[in-house]
Amino acid sequence: MTVIAVIGSQWGDEGKGKAVDFLAERADYVARFNGGNNAGHTVINEFGTFKIHLVPSGIFAQNTTGLIGGGVVVDPAVLIEEIEMLNKSGVGVDGRLWVSPRSHLIMPYHKILDGLYEEAKGAGATGTTRRGIGPVFADKVSYNGIRWTDFASNIFEQRLQIQLELKNKIIAALGGDGLKYESVRDEYRGYYLKLKPYLKELFSLVQDGLKAGKNFLLEQAMGTFLDTDWGTYPFVTASTTIPSAASAGLGIPPKYLTQVIGVTKAYTTRVGAGPLPTEIHDTESEVYKKFGEVAATTGRTRRVGWLDLELVKTAAQLSGMTEICLTKLDVLSGLNEIKVCTRYELSCDPIRYADVDSYGLEKIEPIYQTVPGWSEDISRARSFEELPVNAQNYVKMVEEAVEVPVKWVGVGPEREATIRR
Ligand code: GDP
Ligand code: IMO
Ligand code: MG
């Protein structure tokens, strides 16, 4: 039995989707346990190119069963669209994709409030994906949420009515347009009927699977530093992103976790506001253009920076990382020199990430080491030995600094563009 958590060790978008896709071959269950459709996971394989938001990225492996745990918040329209798209693409998810009825629903007022809160905060805004994530998790923990179970218990209408009364008052106070009860009720009843065949309590399935020694692959959404507790609060997301979330989000006791794979980009990116100590601000520079990416969910431009090993080391310690999957090494090709942040200083004294808050992080000095780059295109390399020596040394430097072995190296976005060591 293996229970493997795949987590992002930076600010999201490390390449978790690709990693889960290639690891899924050996998995019986592939599962999402946190977040919602703020996630955008890119998968490129024999079925095509996909940007997935809710269905586990391992679903392409035909031997797997996909699970969306109770820790995930579900925007039903997005899930329906994704299921239809996957079925149309020949992936076939019917009968092997199950959604926990414990999962909370993202309602239209969550999305409206997300936008209104962001606008009210002005320059201090988080830069959310505006998918309603903060407001739906706030409702979850303040006992105001709506779950799939509410339909089966015939309590949905009553709960919706109360919530709409409350939310319409807040929306009106913030200058937004209120929602009509009947139209939201009918819309969501329709979603329930469409998704009913996919709703199933996961408790017995997970427990039986653990007992039978099945292989579980758990796909985190977001990244370690977007975690509500350990991330750069308040510039974070509303769910726990460290592997312990898989326990609550799926009902898997922590003792079963056998591996934690930290997906780590060979440089750093971040979408939205908040500190990014190694940020490259010169938008005209070669390296800025090289590292530049467009966000899979919102289409925004990702901010970029050099690899920050203090950050990755902190992630490794927080998550109990057992292996690193280093992605996008190919993107560094062509740079004469590569800067890497090895530690932080504050007023010339060493300091750890966890010793300062988000505002303190703006003041720390990242201490860099400059290492030689390589000019060769490495996207066709399929073994470690095929990599130029300087690329090999870059990989070795990462594992030595983080004290976790790099087991996979990504040299391109496609599934097969992966070196296994
Ligand atoms: P996720 O949210 O962690 O799944 O990551 P995203 O899909 O949002 O962003 C990662 C981006 O990097 C996507 O465009 C991937 O196709 C791409 N990608 C992943 N691994 C590699 C790699 O090793 N090399 C290159 N060039 N691209 C990669
Ligand atoms: P994946 O799973 C990168 C960021 C948003 C924003 C903050 C809060 O693809 O790695 P939210 O909508 O969650 O309330 O926004 O979190 N964010 C992500 N950044 N990748 C993600 O997911 C993200 N999910 C949320 O940009 O800064
Ligand atoms: Mg992403």
Side-chain angles (χ1 to χ4, degrees):
M1 179 183 72
T2 55
V3 180
I4 305 173
V6 177
I7 65 142
S9 62
Q10 292 145 325
W11 277 288
D13 306 324
E14 297 89 349
K16 300 175 292 292
K18 178 193 157 182
V20 168
D21 176 55
F22 73 70
L23 292 165
E25 201 183 26
R26 295 185 196 169
D28 299 300
Y29 293 105
V30 289
R32 277 278 307 269
F33 59 83
N34 76 320
N37 59 303
N38 44 348
H41 295 181
T42 313
V43 171
I44 304 176
N45 59 26
E46 72 272 22
F47 289 98
T49 297
F50 302 86
K51 298 209 180 289
I52 318 186
H53 306 288
L54 280 168
V55 174
S57 302
I59 199 74
F60 298 90
Q62 296 294 305
N63 53 302
T64 59
T65 296
L67 310 177
I68 297 180
V72 178
V73 290
V74 175
D75 186 327
V78 174
L79 181 57
I80 290 167
E81 196 184 321
E82 207 156 281
I83 288 173
E84 286 172 356
M85 179 273 293
L86 288 166
N87 277 335
K88 223 183 272 168
S89 309
V91 181
V93 304
D94 293 353
R96 61 184 196 98
L97 174 69
W98 306 113
V99 181
S100 169
R102 291 169 193 276
S103 56
H104 282 243
L105 275 71
I106 296 180
M107 305 299 293
Y109 45 80
H110 292 133
K111 290 183 261 189
I112 295 173
L113 288 172
D114 196 352
L116 289 171
Y117 291 159
E118 282 287 278
E119 274 147 37
K121 287 195 274 186
T126 304
T128 73
T129 60
R130 301 201 176 206
R131 300 297 190 263
I133 303 299
V136 71
F137 276 109
D139 272 358
K140 175 176 176 172
V141 296
S142 60
Y143 332 123
N144 288 299
I146 293 180
R147 307 195 294 173
W148 291 110
T149 51
D150 295 340
F151 287 94
S153 303
N154 288 321
I155 195 122
F156 168 70
E157 278 84 357
Q158 192 190 325
R159 289 188 67 80
L160 176 66
Q161 218 155 13
I162 294 168
Q163 286 308 314
L164 265 185
E165 259 176 52
L166 285 168
K167 299 302 192 303
N168 276 341
K169 282 184 192 153
I170 305 173
I171 291 170
L174 294 172
D177 295 326
L179 294 157
K180 292 232 161 19
Y181 167 72
E182 287 78 11
S183 90
V184 179
R185 179 198 61 197
D186 294 348
E187 182 187 346
Y188 274 68
R189 265 194 196 147
Y191 294 147
Y192 172 62
L193 292 176
K194 274 202 171 154
L195 286 171
K196 214 172 156 189
Y198 302 93
L199 297 173
K200 176 165 59 194
E201 173 50 50
L202 305 180
F203 178 78
S204 296
L205 193 147
V206 167
Q207 293 302 321
D208 292 350
L210 292 170
K211 203 168 173 184
K214 300 281 188 193
N215 296 323
F216 288 79
L217 189 60
L218 318 179
E219 175 181 4
Q220 176 231 49
M222 290 86 243
T224 303
F225 297 97
L226 289 169
D227 180 86
T228 322
D229 291 287
W230 291 99
T232 47
Y233 193 87
F235 308 103
V236 292
T237 191
S239 63
T240 300
T241 64
I242 56 178
S244 55
S247 182
L250 277 164
I252 296 182
K255 70 171 181 181
Y256 285 105
L257 208 58
T258 56
Q259 270 165 270
V260 176
I261 299 174
V263 184
T264 304
K265 208 176 262 186
Y267 49 97
T268 312
T269 61
R270 168 161 210 168
V271 198
L276 171 45
T278 61
E279 185 158 13
I280 295 162
H281 295 282
D282 181 1
T283 53
E284 293 306 312
S285 62
E286 179 202 4
V287 56
Y288 182 92
K289 288 176 187 153
K290 242 181 192 317
F291 292 177
E293 295 175 3
V294 172
T297 296
T298 55
R300 290 180 289 178
T301 306
R302 290 175 182 161
R303 295 159 60 197
V304 303
W306 298 105
L307 179 63
D308 183 340
L309 290 171
E310 164 57 19
L311 213 61
V312 182
K313 188 170 170 77
T314 304
Q317 290 176 304
L318 276 172
S319 68
M321 198 182 288
T322 53
E323 289 113 341
I324 292 173
C325 170
L326 188 68
T327 63
K328 307 200 80 161
L329 191 68
D330 54 301
V331 175
L332 298 181
S333 297
L335 291 173
N336 276 337
E337 287 184 328
I338 305 167
K339 280 172 76 175
V340 181
C341 165
T342 52
R343 61 193 179 86
Y344 295 167
E345 277 185 7
L346 185 65
S347 311
C348 299
D349 289 326
I351 190 149
R352 294 292 315 261
Y353 161 85
D355 293 328
V356 284
D357 67 4
S358 278
Y359 306 98
L361 214 50
E362 303 279 10
K363 298 191 189 98
I364 63 97
E365 190 190 347
I367 306 298
Y368 291 101
Q369 186 182 335
T370 301
V371 298
W374 57 91
S375 56
E376 298 91 330
D377 172 6
I378 59 169
S379 60
R380 285 180 214 288
R382 293 295 177 266
S383 71
F384 191 65
E385 292 65 37
E386 285 172 70
L387 292 175
V389 169
N390 287 345
Q392 290 187 14
N393 287 341
Y394 193 83
V395 174
K396 288 179 188 161
M397 173 195 63
V398 171
E399 58 189 1
E400 275 161 29
V402 183
E403 297 177 45
V404 175
V406 173
K407 191 157 171 190
W408 299 270
V409 179
V411 290
E414 311 82 15
R415 182 194 279 167
E416 60 279 4
T418 308
I419 294 170
R420 192 176 186 282
R421 289 173 82 202

